[in-house]
Amino acid sequence: MAKYQAPLFLVDKAVPTASVSFSAPVATVNFSEPMNLSSATVSLNGVAKVSGTDYSVTQDSATDTLTGAVKLAFSGLTQGTHKIAIVGAKDLAGNFLPDTVLTVTVGADNVAPEVTSMVAEGSNVRVTFSEPVNQAVLKDGANTVATVTAANSVDAEGKVFVFDASSLIVSPNTFVTKELTVAAGSLDASNNASKEFKKTLTLTADKAAPTVVSTTIKDDKIIVKYNEVIVAGDTPIVPATGVSTSYTTADGVVKPTANTVLDSVDYVYDANNDGDTTDPGENQYLVLDAAAVLASGDYKVVIPAEAVKDAAGNNTVATTLTFKVTPATNTNETLDVVPTQVSTGVLQFAFDAELTDAALNANNFTINGATVPASSKIYFYGNKQTVRIELPEGTVAVDGNRTLAVKDIKDKNGNTLTTTAKKWCSSSIIGKR
């Protein structure tokens, strides 16, 4: 018997669009939805340009499995009118962006960047500019405290810079009050230079260890967010040793405390799912990657002392994480299905995991895009992994191949269909007449 597979998603036939705007010194192309640019050609004034060299690409920051480009940015364009052409781009459903030529007028940028905020954060100084700049320099009188380049700014745009000024606090003092200066000469994309900025700040020595803000479970990962930037502590977690774990099953069975062996331990996390871990705050995470998806139940996981420390070298004390894993907490695309016709007018959908009663809904099953009749008899057959549908007489007037589809079906743990199963299937249907 041939195996057929069914989709979970709806068909996207909407045609994507693009628009352009200019805000000195950047011309920005915005797409109406995330786009796949892998086969696209982007040209400026008739000359093909290279992503990452001639223009930057911002990816969709949603948490979907599929991500795409949502905007392009061109910097340093000369004054006047420019034409940006995009050919061959398509959305994530495969709908092509019509061949597009966008016209943008670039005006003169004579506005210099300026410091809009300068605050003390413990022994650090955070400086924010009005626009992206190439670098920032913090000074104590004539002495340079630190220089931070745009590549090391703490935001994606290059406007926010954090300086380590702990060297200004002389032991045994725990604080110092000083007038500090952001030096003149920070340049924007049009080479406009900033003016000097001064402010008196009180810096305090960082003696506090990082603390846990939240714990999240995703697939086989325990994602722990801290209140500040972290790195591996003086006694880091060894994956082969793992972490001490107490576990009570969803049925109330208490399991003996044991170490959960880990595949890996990371100190960054791609929180916005944009493909990198360089965004602000993404270096505040401890990620414990277990060898398998965590089963439903109640957990207590001990992060040992000195497993994590902050930039000032303050190690954490032993910390117990308490959390519950439920079907809604931890789901995967692991559900597979094989639809067939077992007899005249009777369809069968064999899933590879148990479902809930919510699956027995006519709206979850379609034939050629139309839901099966509400008067269909839908029931579990033999177990909760197999759904049978008895179609009313006259549903199929002419025998032949038809497309069967399944949507909004989850197993009892909340898992959805596999990537492989997310495809249309065709089956020969014989009607009951």
Side-chain angles (χ1 to χ4, degrees):
M1 181 178 294
K3 177 178 178 179
Y4 296 94
Q5 295 176 316
L8 181 65
F9 49 81
L10 300 176
V11 175
D12 172 12
K13 295 184 178 179
V15 177
T17 60
S19 60
V20 67
S21 60
F22 175 73
S23 178
V26 179
T28 303
V29 175
N30 288 291
F31 296 109
S32 59
E33 57 181 299
M35 302 294 293
N36 180 350
L37 302 179
S38 61
S39 300
T41 299
V42 178
S43 302
L44 177 66
N45 299 325
V47 179
K49 296 300 178 179
V50 179
S51 172
T53 301
D54 301 312
Y55 62 91
S56 62
V57 179
T58 299
Q59 297 290 325
D60 178 22
S61 60
T63 57
D64 299 329
T65 301
L66 295 176
T67 58
V70 292
K71 69 179 180 180
L72 312 179
F74 294 80
S75 299
L77 299 183
T78 58
Q79 291 185 54
T81 300
H82 297 270
K83 292 186 180 297
I84 300 172
I86 305 169
V87 178
K90 55 187 176 181
D91 66 17
L92 303 185
N95 302 305
F96 278 93
L97 173 75
D99 292 357
T100 299
V101 179
L102 304 170
T103 301
V104 60
T105 300
V106 175
D109 177 16
N110 298 317
V111 180
E114 59 182 21
V115 175
T116 59
S117 173
M118 181 178 180
V119 296
E121 297 179 341
S123 59
N124 293 332
V125 176
R126 178 181 291 261
V127 175
T128 303
F129 285 84
S130 57
E131 59 178 304
V133 294
N134 65 327
Q135 67 172 28
V137 179
L138 181 69
K139 304 190 77 171
D140 173 23
N143 299 319
T144 297
V145 177
T147 299
V148 180
T149 65
N152 294 313
S153 63
V154 296
D155 68 326
E157 298 179 273
K159 295 166 59 176
V160 184
F161 299 79
V162 174
F163 302 88
D164 179 2
S166 58
S167 62
L168 300 178
I169 306 172
V170 181
S171 182
N173 298 324
T174 59
F175 72 94
V176 66
T177 300
K178 280 182 171 289
E179 182 183 64
L180 299 176
T181 303
V182 178
S186 296
L187 303 177
D188 66 14
S190 299
N191 286 324
N192 299 306
S194 65
K195 294 181 179 180
E196 183 179 83
F197 184 90
K198 295 177 178 288
K199 188 174 183 180
T200 299
L201 300 174
T202 297
L203 305 173
T204 56
D206 181 4
K207 300 296 183 183
T211 58
V212 173
V213 173
S214 63
T215 303
T216 306
I217 310 304
K218 182 176 176 59
D219 301 333
D220 57 351
K221 295 178 176 61
I222 303 172
I223 304 163
V224 186
K225 185 177 183 179
Y226 286 83
N227 66 330
E228 59 179 313
V229 175
I230 62 165
V231 294
D234 292 345
T235 311
I237 296 170
V238 178
T241 302
V243 288
S244 176
T245 304
S246 300
Y247 169 55
T248 302
T249 70
D251 297 326
V253 178
V254 178
K255 298 290 187 178
T257 299
N259 275 23
T260 297
V261 176
L262 306 171
D263 282 344
S264 63
V265 178
D266 295 303
Y267 300 89
V268 290
Y269 175 62
D270 185 9
N272 62 6
N273 197 34
D274 67 349
D276 62 57
T277 54
T278 60
D279 298 299
E282 292 188 335
N283 53 0
Q284 294 178 217
Y285 290 88
L286 171 68
V287 181
L288 307 178
D289 191 344
V293 174
L294 298 180
S296 297
D298 295 291
Y299 289 80
K300 288 184 179 180
V301 173
V302 178
I303 306 299
E306 300 187 343
V308 168
K309 65 182 179 183
D310 61 17
N314 299 305
N315 280 280
T316 53
V317 298
T319 305
T320 300
L321 310 175
T322 301
F323 56 88
K324 178 187 289 288
V325 174
T326 65
T329 304
N330 207 8
T331 62
N332 253 328
E333 294 181 348
T334 57
L335 183 62
D336 207 351
V337 61
V338 179
T340 56
Q341 180 172 247
V342 293
S343 61
T344 302
V346 180
L347 306 180
Q348 177 169 291
F349 295 81
F351 295 85
D352 64 351
E354 288 191 8
L355 309 179
T356 66
D357 291 345
L360 302 182
N361 185 327
N363 293 322
N364 293 338
F365 304 89
T366 63
I367 302 175
N368 281 355
T371 57
V372 300
S375 58
S376 300
K377 185 178 180 181
I378 306 175
Y379 54 90
F380 288 118
Y381 181 79
N383 53 51
K384 284 200 167 185
Q385 292 185 207
T386 304
V387 175
R388 282 196 173 181
I389 301 177
E390 296 183 13
L391 301 173
E393 290 188 14
T395 301
V396 179
V398 179
D399 300 343
N401 288 336
R402 285 171 172 79
T403 298
L404 302 181
V406 180
K407 63 178 182 178
D408 301 329
I409 292 287
K410 299 179 180 180
D411 69 17
K412 69 176 183 180
N413 291 319
N415 298 307
T416 55
L417 294 178
T418 63
T419 300
T420 304
K422 295 176 181 178
K423 295 180 180 178
W424 295 106
C425 66
S426 182
S427 182
S428 179
I429 305 298
I430 301 173
K432 183 188 293 183
R433 297 184 289 275

